Amino acid sequence: MNAQHLLIELFVEELPPKSLKKLGEAFATLLADSLKSQGLAAANAAVTIFATPRRLAVRVSEVVARAPDKPVSHKLMPVSVGLDAAGNATPALIKRLSALGVAASVVPQLRRAADGKNEALFYDSIAPGTVLVDGVQAALETAMAKLPIPKLMSYQLADGWTSVSFVRPVHGLVALHGADVVPVSVLGLSAGRETQGHRFEASANPVVIRDADSYAEQLLNEGAVIASFAERRAEIVRQFDALTAQHGLKPIEDDALLDEVTALVERPNVLLGKFDQAFLDVPQECLILTMKANQKYFPLLDAAGKLTNKFLIVSNISPADISAVIGGNERVVRPRLADAKFFFDQDRKKTLDSRVAGLAKVVYHNKLGTQGERVERVRSIARNITHQLRDPSLMVDPAAQLAKADLLTDMVGEFPELQGIMGRYYAQHDGLADDIAFAIEDHYKPRFAGDELPRNQVGVCVALADKLETLVGMFGIGEIPTGDKDPFALRRHALGVIRMLVERELPLQLDDLISTAVQVFEKKEIQEFWSERIHEEVKGKNSATGYSEHQLGPNTKRLVMDFIYDRLAGLLREQGYSPQEIDAVLALRPQNLGDVTKRLAAVHAFAALPEAASLAAANKRVGNILKKVEGEVPVEVNTALFKEPAETVLFESLAQIKPKADAAFEAGDYTPSLQALAALKIPVDAFFDSVMVNADDPALKANRLALLNQLHQTMNRVADISRLAA
């Protein structure tokens, strides 16, 4: 039989809408990959994905009825083991052939071939290709077993006794190779050609699929279903654009919500609804979240980006009179908006400041105390940051004190996603300065990759304090991210700290920041926790960290520092910097992260110089020599002890170049600071060509080590350029 398209469909009860897209893609990919691996479909076979709320389906092009036969070679054993001196088969060979289902009569046809140092026996045969029904059965079972389903549903089959499991109960199976049914079965169902269309609008029920190619067309024309997830999504967008263009409005872009509503409808019909203008007095974030999260509506904005009282409904039905559908949705959304207005009005009856005391009753973490205690730690860290910035005028203390107060409001209790945002609205209602109000909202930022940073310096200080408190606290009690587990989003917090320090170019020292955060903990919560751990595990030593109790502070600090530098390295790799350049800069553990990108630019420019490779290699050699020195490395150079001209030349070259390089470094001009080192190539090469560093004379050796020490310090202020060596 010639190759034909293959269609497989599982007809199921309503699938989880947030998972449908992933399930459809996984089902199609897994099934197609299995067919390809069995030789039933070509490696470049086209795979068409179908996924609706009630079906997972796939069409694979050019699937053959029987895979081609394949030559198979079985390695048996060394010739010396399989054949005796007379060339006859040994019992070991006969047993091996029997295990393969082959008679001893094939021994004369066995192939001899080199296998390493020995000669081995091989049995060559032709394996028959997989037939379609077996291959599809195996592919279907594999695909269903490997679907990314977090939790299976068990249900009984029609016989009332047999229980099976799948993401949702399956009620139909279609398997067509061209126009022919492939007799496979799964979950107690035998394959056929019948499926179901739209619950209410199908013109035929069931829909009898003629062949694999007519599937999508028949479902659309007879079943009133757009089978392709991508096409259904595109149709929703098309209707969005057409409807909003008529009214001069634009929907809020939300790809996740668009995917979700695509997974809720089989043939979308986009309608325009509206609500009472009075609700627009409520902050638009509340209204938007209510409509999106609870009702799956798309709020509409005017040309200025301001929320209007109109919204888009994605309906699954298309009645002749749409007024009932629109009216029903408008009635449903009204109580939701009324609740939001009620929460907003009630919350404003109490000031944020009056809520702060209540945070002492809210548990933050059972090992780190209450939110009230946490707020005090954040306040302390934030005040210290302003001291490091030498700007005591920043109003960080009231902002930090009020930052978590909105957690006790009704609105945030209903919609936790609005924490910070509602704090800003309530602070403004209380008459607080915008610097404080915006800082309350912004101290959670950046919330995700690519999110904006706090809009003012007060917000930056409080955001830094909040994230540092979280990092140090969680690391201190052993909640360290491992693998893909990061329940407290500590990686995101670390990236937030990095982005604020780098992008705002803040003159803050990372060591000082983390030390400040450690100090607010080390006399209480962290010490108490680790003391208990030490007592429980190994007295005087913690098995997880290897540090004794009095070393806790330094250890927590080191762990957090390492974690932040590791996150920084990953971020820089994503931005396109080479691993060698990143390694060279971060090897020095630069404390001011704001100038890391300038250092990287300088290293990149230096690496392009013709002298760079030689100087990097020499620097690595110098570093290795100095590492082997026992005791302190000499510092002072005595020119009177020079014996070789190369020593004098290197010393004089260093004396001439070092002031220029140091001056540029102190000015933050890292590129000229590094490029000044290029002039050292010739004297450095000459030094190593003609000078024996480890001289027999101790004084001479110490003097040469001192000269190399000065060279090493001069070359490695911007970055450890030895990391550039091949």
Side-chain angles (χ1 to χ4, degrees):
M1 184 183 293
N2 294 330
Q4 299 187 65
H5 294 176
L6 175 74
L7 172 75
I8 302 292
E9 183 207 66
L10 291 176
F11 183 75
V12 299
E13 293 184 12
E14 275 75 3
L15 292 160
K18 292 184 178 180
S19 304
L20 179 62
K21 184 179 181 182
K22 183 190 295 184
L23 286 172
E25 292 171 348
F27 180 72
T29 301
L30 289 166
L31 194 141
D33 286 349
S34 179
L35 293 174
K36 292 174 182 179
S37 67
Q38 296 178 77
L40 290 167
N44 61 349
V47 179
T48 307
I49 304 170
F50 303 106
T52 78
R54 299 195 296 158
R55 76 198 74 234
L56 297 174
V58 57
R59 185 176 65 226
V60 184
S61 68
E62 303 299 315
V63 176
V64 296
R66 184 176 184 273
D69 296 341
K70 295 188 298 183
V72 179
S73 179
H74 296 278
K75 177 185 172 183
L76 301 175
M77 59 188 64
V79 172
S80 59
V81 176
L83 301 176
D84 60 19
N88 298 317
T90 63
L93 178 58
I94 293 173
K95 184 177 180 180
R96 177 78 173 107
L97 289 171
S98 177
L100 293 174
V102 180
S105 59
V106 304
V107 171
Q109 285 80 47
L110 295 181
R111 177 170 55 90
R112 295 187 180 197
D115 181 40
K117 296 181 179 180
N118 300 316
E119 187 179 28
L121 293 170
F122 292 83
Y123 171 62
D124 297 328
S125 64
I126 300 296
T130 304
V131 296
L132 181 67
V133 63
D134 293 339
V136 172
Q137 184 70 48
L140 186 56
E141 292 174 357
T142 298
M144 295 179 67
K146 293 184 178 180
L147 281 178
I149 304 171
K151 190 173 183 180
L152 292 169
M153 176 183 287
S154 295
Y155 61 97
Q156 285 186 329
L157 299 182
D159 62 12
W161 294 97
T162 309
S163 292
V164 294
S165 298
F166 195 55
V167 59
R168 291 292 186 270
V170 182
H171 295 296
L173 172 64
V174 174
L176 295 176
H177 186 230
D180 298 324
V181 173
V182 183
V184 294
S185 61
V186 69
L187 300 177
L189 298 168
S190 297
R193 62 173 70 248
E194 294 183 357
T195 187
Q196 302 293 319
H198 196 286
R199 283 188 186 275
F200 311 110
E201 300 187 352
S203 61
N205 193 13
V207 178
V208 181
I209 307 301
R210 294 188 300 273
D211 55 55
D213 290 338
S214 68
Y215 175 74
E217 178 187 357
Q218 283 188 261
L219 270 182
L220 179 61
N221 295 332
E222 301 173 31
V225 172
I226 300 175
S228 167
F229 187 97
E231 291 179 12
R232 204 163 59 254
R233 190 182 195 273
E235 174 61 17
I236 294 174
V237 173
R238 187 194 66 77
Q239 294 186 39
F240 275 4
D241 293 342
L243 197 54
T244 55
Q246 295 176 17
H247 298 272
L249 303 173
K250 58 181 180 180
I252 290 177
E253 294 184 5
D254 189 327
D255 286 342
L257 180 59
L258 183 56
D259 285 343
E260 188 174 356
V261 297
T262 302
L264 287 168
V265 298
E266 292 191 306
R267 190 173 70 173
N269 181 29
V270 177
L271 306 171
L272 181 69
K274 60 183 178 179
F275 56 83
D276 193 326
Q277 288 265 14
F279 289 123
L280 292 177
D281 292 337
V282 179
Q284 69 175 33
E285 292 90 344
C286 306
L287 304 179
I288 290 170
L289 185 58
T290 297
M291 287 188 280
K292 288 168 58 175
N294 294 325
Q295 303 305 130
K296 313 306 176 188
Y297 298 153
F298 288 80
L300 293 176
L301 308 176
D302 61 20
K306 186 177 179 181
L307 182 68
T308 69
N309 70 323
K310 297 180 175 64
F311 57 92
L312 295 177
I313 307 157
V314 182
S315 174
N316 193 37
I317 55 176
S318 304
D321 181 8
I322 61 173
S323 60
V325 178
I326 295 174
N329 280 277
E330 290 176 344
R331 284 193 299 274
V332 168
V333 78
R334 181 178 177 82
R336 295 287 188 179
L337 301 181
D339 286 346
K341 187 176 188 304
F342 175 78
F343 293 148
F344 185 55
D345 291 340
Q346 290 298 112
D347 286 342
R348 288 182 295 172
K349 293 179 180 179
K350 292 180 65 176
T351 65
L352 281 181
D353 187 60
S354 69
R355 298 179 186 274
V356 172
L359 292 173
K361 300 177 182 178
V362 180
V363 175
Y364 166 50
H365 191 286
N366 64 343
K367 297 185 178 73
L368 294 173
T370 66
Q371 286 285 4
E373 292 171 305
R374 183 188 183 197
V375 164
E376 291 305 309
R377 294 193 293 266
V378 172
R379 289 177 67 188
S380 177
I381 297 169
R383 288 194 298 266
N384 272 282
I385 291 174
T386 62
H387 295 155
Q388 293 171 35
L389 288 171
R390 298 180 181 178
D391 190 356
S393 66
L394 294 173
M395 295 182 288
V396 299
D397 195 54
Q401 184 179 28
L402 299 174
K404 306 296 181 184
D406 69 347
L407 295 178
L408 298 178
T409 63
D410 291 338
M411 187 71 83
V412 173
E414 180 72 14
F415 300 110
E417 302 94 329
L418 295 176
Q419 60 185 0
I421 295 172
M422 296 314 302
R424 188 253 297 177
Y425 279 108
Y426 297 144
Q428 290 174 327
H429 177 264
D430 294 345
L432 298 176
D434 280 348
D435 276 1
I436 296 175
F438 289 136
I440 291 172
E441 177 180 359
D442 292 352
H443 85 281
Y444 290 104
K445 296 179 180 177
R447 296 172 185 257
F448 50 84
D451 190 20
E452 62 184 9
L453 299 181
R455 69 198 87 180
N456 61 44
Q457 198 79 321
V458 176
V460 168
C461 291
V462 180
L464 277 173
D466 182 67
K467 289 168 176 55
L468 289 168
E469 189 275 343
T470 302
L471 285 166
V472 170
M474 292 302 170
F475 269 76
I477 61 172
E479 294 286 358
I480 300 173
T482 56
D484 60 351
K485 295 181 180 179
D486 186 9
F488 298 101
L490 300 185
R491 294 185 178 97
R492 176 169 58 80
H493 281 79
L495 286 173
V497 171
I498 291 166
R499 283 192 57 202
M500 284 185 279
L501 294 177
V502 171
E503 295 178 28
R504 292 295 171 86
E505 298 184 354
L506 298 176
L508 295 170
Q509 304 295 301
L510 185 60
D511 184 276
D512 293 341
L513 287 173
I514 297 176
S515 294
T516 295
V518 168
Q519 288 167 8
V520 303
F521 279 101
E522 62 183 4
K523 294 182 180 179
K524 191 181 179 184
E525 292 88 355
I526 292 181
Q527 288 288 7
E528 290 175 356
F529 172 75
W530 283 109
S531 295
E532 293 172 6
R533 286 285 295 276
I534 291 163
H535 178 73
E536 292 170 3
E537 296 177 5
V538 182
K539 187 175 181 181
K541 186 176 182 181
N542 178 267
S543 64
T545 64
Y547 277 74
S548 59
E549 182 178 356
H550 73 276
Q551 292 175 300
L552 168 65
N555 186 43
T556 303
K557 176 180 172 181
R558 178 184 61 79
L559 290 171
V560 175
M561 290 277 284
D562 290 347
F563 185 69
I564 289 177
Y565 280 120
D566 183 59
R567 294 294 98 201
L568 176 58
L571 179 64
L572 294 171
R573 283 193 296 270
E574 291 175 3
Q575 294 175 355
Y577 294 101
S578 75
Q580 293 81 7
E581 293 167 354
I582 295 169
D583 191 26
V585 171
L586 297 190
L588 299 185
R589 287 293 197 260
Q591 292 300 303
N592 185 351
L593 301 192
D595 68 6
V596 163
T597 54
K598 291 198 297 182
R599 290 176 184 250
L600 282 165
V603 170
H604 184 74
F606 174 79
L609 297 176
E611 299 88 352
S614 177
L615 285 172
N619 190 46
K620 185 174 184 179
R621 183 176 179 182
V622 171
N624 290 335
I625 291 172
L626 295 177
K627 285 178 185 176
K628 296 176 182 178
V629 176
E630 296 181 2
E632 292 187 9
V633 179
V635 177
E636 297 297 328
V637 177
N638 184 352
T639 57
L641 294 177
F642 288 162
K643 298 294 185 183
E644 302 291 342
E647 293 177 273
T648 303
V649 172
L650 178 57
F651 179 80
E652 292 176 350
S653 298
L654 195 56
Q656 182 180 8
I657 292 167
K658 187 177 186 302
K660 297 178 183 178
D662 288 350
F665 177 86
E666 297 300 337
D669 295 332
Y670 299 132
T671 298
S673 178
L674 268 184
Q675 290 183 335
L677 303 178
L680 290 172
K681 177 185 181 302
I682 294 175
V684 168
D685 289 347
F687 179 87
F688 282 114
D689 286 343
S690 58
V691 176
M692 175 66 70
V693 176
N694 294 319
D696 294 334
D697 184 346
L700 192 58
K701 176 181 177 181
N703 199 54
R704 289 171 177 172
L705 288 172
L707 179 58
L708 291 182
N709 192 21
Q710 287 190 8
L711 174 66
H712 194 253
Q713 291 177 1
T714 301
M715 296 178 75
N716 293 297
R717 296 200 70 186
V718 175
D720 181 356
I721 64 172
S722 69
R723 306 297 178 104
L724 301 176

